[in-house]
Amino acid sequence: MTTPGQTPQVRHNEAERRFEAGTPGGVAIVQYLRRGDRIVFTHTEVPPAMRGQGIGEHVAETALEFAEREHLTVEPKCEFIAAYIERHPRYRALTGERPTPDGQTSE
């Protein structure tokens, strides 16, 4: 658990299939399903009192870094994860998208 103003430590809870960070307002999570060499991010939740403080982004980044280390293809079914990838193009390759010369992506 962290105190206000601290960046929470993210824990990979494999038994619950989620990444989680304890905060003073509750637990922030990114849930997933694992399908072979694919990881499907299904849901992100941040306690209401902790929203807008970057905690969801911190948990999302940790989850995507895990996928990258494990050489997993990411399927962002969760809108929060999809939006995070859109804002952080370095993670787009994890979804199978390839950058094009004009900066857009293609499958």
Side-chain angles (χ1 to χ4, degrees):
M1 182 77 71
T2 60
T3 58
Q6 267 188 316
T7 301
Q9 182 176 357
V10 178
R11 175 178 169 256
H12 183 194
N13 182 340
E14 288 185 74
E16 296 289 326
R17 294 185 309 270
R18 67 188 199 178
F19 291 86
E20 55 190 33
T23 72
V27 178
I29 63 166
V30 170
Q31 293 179 313
Y32 67 87
L33 298 172
R34 184 84 184 260
R35 296 182 176 148
D37 65 349
R38 298 184 69 78
I39 188 165
V40 182
F41 291 111
T42 59
H43 181 70
T44 300
E45 189 171 325
V46 176
M50 304 308 294
R51 292 181 185 157
Q53 298 180 35
I55 293 168
E57 291 208 352
H58 181 58
V59 180
E61 178 181 34
T62 301
L64 290 166
E65 290 290 326
F66 169 81
E68 188 172 59
R69 277 192 313 277
E70 297 294 316
H71 306 287
L72 300 172
T73 300
V74 170
E75 191 174 331
K77 294 289 186 187
C78 166
E79 290 179 23
F80 186 90
I81 297 293
Y84 184 87
I85 291 170
E86 188 65 29
R87 289 190 310 274
H88 299 87
R90 79 178 278 313
Y91 295 113
R92 288 184 188 160
L94 296 176
T95 67
E97 293 181 355
R98 293 183 311 270
T100 60
D102 62 1
Q104 301 296 312
T105 56
S106 65
E107 293 189 43

